Amino acid sequence: MTTFSELNLAPKVLKAVEDAGYETPTPIQEGAIPPALEGRDVLGIAQTGTGKTASFTLPMITMLARGRARARMPRSLVLCPTRELAAQVAENFDTYAKYVKLTKALLIGGVSFGEQTKLIDRGVDVLIATPGRLLDHFERGKLLLTGVQIMVVDEADRMLDMGFIPDIERIFSFTPFTRQTLFFSATMAPEIERITNTFLSNPARIEVARQATAAENIAQEVVLFKPSRRDRAASEKRKLLRAIIDAEGEKLTNGIIFCNRKTDVDIVAKSLKKYGYDAAPIHGDLDQSQRTRTLDGFRNGELKLLIASDVAARGLDVPSVSHVINYDVPGHAEDYVHRIGRTGRAGRDGKAIMICEPRDEKNLAAVEALIKKDIPRAPNPLTGTVAPDAAPAAAGDDAGDRPRPAKSKSSRPARKKKAAPRPEQQPAPQGEAAASPAPSAEPSAQPAPEPSREPSPEPAREKRPAREAAKDSAKDKPKSQRGRGRRDDRKVVGMGDHMPSFIAKSFSDRSSG
Ligand code: AMP
């Protein structure tokens, strides 16, 4: 077995690694560190949780320990798809470079330009950035990339999903041809392959096993759910979610609940909070300080349930999560692997429960094809049956999602009750409507034919053409809300803005009845 001391890392780096308590290098570290230290390009095919961050930070610190930074000319550059991931990489540098004098700057959206510019002006050894913010600084003439000796692209496949590849190509073109490139991606989509063929030169290719497919310690389940009525789908689904959480009881010490849509992240988080659960959302539209606070709270155990979108949660290092709940079946099968990989880490047992509606069955089949196994169907905790069409709310019950009477938080932080109360025990309606930005009709939580994916957690860059920004904001909406402006804008005299939806319905549209 290889040890860290055999990897040719600087003694000061080794000491920091020892302080971190790592005993042996992970496979990606063992494979990537030696060629990186030789100055070779590296193509690492590895996902988060494999120790890939240290596989590039450790050799970088070793190499950068020699030499000094010049004003406005960073010596190395790490590009990350999200602010959180960039902040996490920065933390890694702090950990491993504690005995080495290195300067670094973190260029991410949501933080003032002034402070960032000051740091760059002084000269930095390591610049860690999201592509949009980096280009903003570059275009303002505040930054030169001609001194970059080492460039890292982290989570390239997520960059691709978020539309950052053109930005990455531009950034590559501003750096010297002689730079060393360390490139990491969990998967090798054709577009990623093209970029690596263009910008990497004879890279050492290190591929580590996909962690989640091999993780036998994650118990997976799917709960089939069919709403009793289409207009109740959203509230019944949230009720099912609460029942799932309750049924797990104390086994659920902390969990991440993934939604496909940003709007659902907010709605689900608000709804859970309303019902007394300890929950908070994280997605790209929240301001940076709130995202940081939420994540810190989740990491240190103060927050129990993190409601997240794929992009926001991507790459986040949260050491032990007992449960992952997929509120939706992800539209991209490999996201399932990423999502459930947040539990069952470091050999601990984990549980992944997914809700599947009839419209998600195709996506479920794609997930099962990818992981090459059938996910066991678990009974719906509300009905006790596996059959999807056992409606969770009895006919005539329109109180499927009403909150229970307010209890003090301390009396119910962990929600130990086994099952949700019966509807007739519940108070008059008010809660969910208030919890949700879109009241009873809940347009944002309406089923969409396909999940629309969160485009980018970075705010739109100032210089982007308005047309593009408009396109993005359209993408933010569920497909069910796109391109329906005319229909939604219709008004009936006397109804104000609150026209009941049945009035807008076409008589010829039988299928939607
Ligand atoms: P990453 O894949 O970079 O997100 O790393 C996942 C987690 O593994 C982080 O919490 C690291 O601190 C931890 N880690 C990285 N390298 C090692 C190692 N050699 N031994 C044990 N833990 C490690």
Side-chain angles (χ1 to χ4, degrees):
M1 195 192 289
T2 313
T3 60
F4 275 107
S5 54
E6 292 167 65
L7 295 180
N8 280 331
L9 291 164
K12 286 178 178 171
V13 175
L14 278 179
K15 192 161 183 298
V17 167
E18 208 175 289
D19 290 354
Y22 304 160
E23 285 166 9
T24 48
T26 63
I28 187 76
Q29 291 163 359
E30 192 179 332
I33 293 173
L37 285 173
E38 285 166 20
R40 283 188 65 187
D41 283 357
V42 170
L43 171 56
I45 304 164
Q47 64 185 63
T48 187
T50 55
K52 71 173 165 56
T53 318
S55 80
F56 62 83
T57 46
L58 300 180
M60 280 176 82
I61 298 165
T62 299
M63 293 186 280
L64 293 168
R66 297 180 292 268
R68 282 187 56 207
R70 290 165 57 192
R72 292 190 185 186
M73 289 178 70
R75 299 165 68 204
S76 67
L77 173 63
V78 182
L79 292 174
C80 303
T82 65
R83 301 165 184 179
E84 280 77 16
L85 200 55
Q88 215 164 273
V89 168
E91 273 170 31
N92 269 258
F93 272 102
D94 289 341
T95 306
Y96 307 132
K98 66 179 184 181
Y99 300 114
V100 180
K101 206 163 167 275
L102 274 192
T103 50
K104 67 166 179 18
L106 181 61
L107 299 192
I108 53 177
V111 179
S112 94
F113 272 91
E115 285 301 309
Q116 297 178 345
T117 307
K118 251 190 248 164
L119 283 174
I120 299 170
D121 279 350
R122 269 187 243 143
V124 289
D125 297 301
V126 187
L127 190 60
I128 304 153
T130 48
R133 185 47 81 100
L134 181 90
L135 284 172
D136 280 344
H137 277 274
F138 186 82
E139 283 159 9
R140 289 171 183 217
K142 302 286 185 202
L143 177 66
L144 285 168
L145 294 175
T146 43
V148 171
Q149 297 154 21
I150 309 167
M151 172 159 159
V152 178
V153 178
D154 196 13
E155 307 250 347
D157 49 344
R158 188 51 43 160
M159 304 262 202
L160 175 68
D161 284 350
M162 294 166 65
F164 283 154
I165 294 298
D167 285 351
I168 300 293
E169 290 190 74
R170 278 190 73 207
I171 296 167
F172 263 122
S173 73
F174 299 138
T175 62
F177 179 66
T178 50
R179 64 158 199 271
Q180 177 184 10
T181 309
L182 311 175
F183 193 101
F184 293 85
S185 184
T187 53
M188 285 303 284
E191 184 68 354
I192 303 283
E193 193 91 49
R194 182 185 67 77
I195 299 283
T196 57
N197 290 339
T198 313
F199 296 105
L200 273 65
S201 153
N202 184 28
R205 185 181 166 115
I206 298 103
E207 184 160 359
V208 302
R210 291 183 69 93
Q211 174 209 21
T213 45
E216 295 299 328
N217 53 330
I218 303 175
Q220 302 174 51
E221 281 178 2
V222 63
V223 175
L224 303 176
F225 158 69
K226 189 173 174 192
S228 66
R229 265 181 25 189
R230 211 196 257 202
D231 60 348
R232 290 181 183 158
S235 67
E236 287 179 359
K237 193 169 178 181
R238 290 193 293 271
K239 183 177 180 181
L240 171 60
L241 172 67
R242 297 194 297 276
I244 289 172
I245 296 169
D246 291 348
E248 289 303 302
E250 285 178 12
K251 283 179 286 172
L252 197 162
T253 51
N254 61 345
I256 306 181
I257 299 171
F258 283 98
C259 302
N260 289 357
R261 288 170 284 268
K262 273 192 271 194
T263 44
D264 280 345
V265 170
D266 273 332
I267 293 170
V268 168
K270 277 186 187 158
S271 167
L272 284 173
K273 262 195 279 189
K274 193 101 201 157
Y275 279 84
Y277 294 79
D278 185 13
I282 182 156
H283 61 70
D285 286 350
L286 299 172
D287 77 59
Q288 189 57 37
S289 62
Q290 193 179 351
R291 286 159 73 173
T292 308
R293 230 178 314 129
T294 300
L295 263 182
D296 287 349
F298 191 64
R299 281 207 187 99
N300 63 30
E302 283 161 19
L303 173 69
K304 186 171 171 180
L305 298 170
L306 184 69
I307 325 301
S309 62
D310 287 296
V311 169
R314 175 69 171 222
L316 295 182
D317 181 30
V318 182
S320 64
V321 176
S322 74
H323 284 65
V324 165
I325 300 179
N326 282 300
Y327 186 72
D328 303 295
V329 180
H332 288 208
E334 64 281 11
D335 281 339
Y336 178 77
V337 177
H338 291 306
R339 289 179 180 189
I340 73 164
R342 319 321 310 250
T343 182
R345 285 191 157 196
R348 294 187 188 92
D349 286 336
K351 188 157 184 186
I353 307 171
M354 180 155 68
I355 301 176
C356 176
E357 293 182 54
R359 67 189 166 110
D360 290 332
E361 270 160 20
K362 243 166 96 179
N363 288 340
L364 177 61
V367 167
E368 292 184 323
L370 178 76
I371 63 172
K372 296 191 180 68
K373 71 178 216 180
D374 291 339
I375 305 173
R377 271 52 174 170
N380 177 326
L382 290 171
T383 62
T385 65
V386 171
D389 48 1
D397 164 30
D398 56 357
D401 203 30
R402 284 176 204 155
R404 291 175 243 187
K407 283 186 191 170
S408 82
K409 200 171 172 190
S410 61
S411 71
R412 194 159 33 97
R415 294 299 312 246
K416 293 188 186 88
K417 286 188 92 172
K418 277 278 173 200
R422 292 154 64 98
E424 59 271 27
Q425 295 169 328
Q426 296 177 350
Q430 36 129 312
E432 186 57 35
S436 142
S440 49
E442 304 207 47
S444 53
Q446 283 293 317
E450 251 172 59
S452 79
R453 293 159 61 76
E454 183 181 11
S456 156
E458 284 281 278
R461 289 174 37 222
E462 290 131 275
K463 291 192 175 124
R464 295 175 70 203
R467 195 159 47 86
E468 222 177 290
K471 212 163 84 188
D472 269 6
S473 81
K475 267 198 263 165
D476 273 358
K477 296 180 186 167
K479 275 196 174 164
S480 57
Q481 288 179 24
R482 288 189 227 156
R484 291 210 182 159
R486 262 181 52 217
R487 184 170 182 160
D488 288 344
D489 290 348
R490 271 191 278 161
K491 282 188 180 165
V492 172
V493 176
M495 289 287 180
D497 287 336
H498 304 290
M499 183 176 77
S501 59
F502 69 85
I503 289 186
K505 228 177 218 167
S506 157
F507 290 106
S508 59
D509 188 6
R510 282 160 190 272
S511 63
S512 66

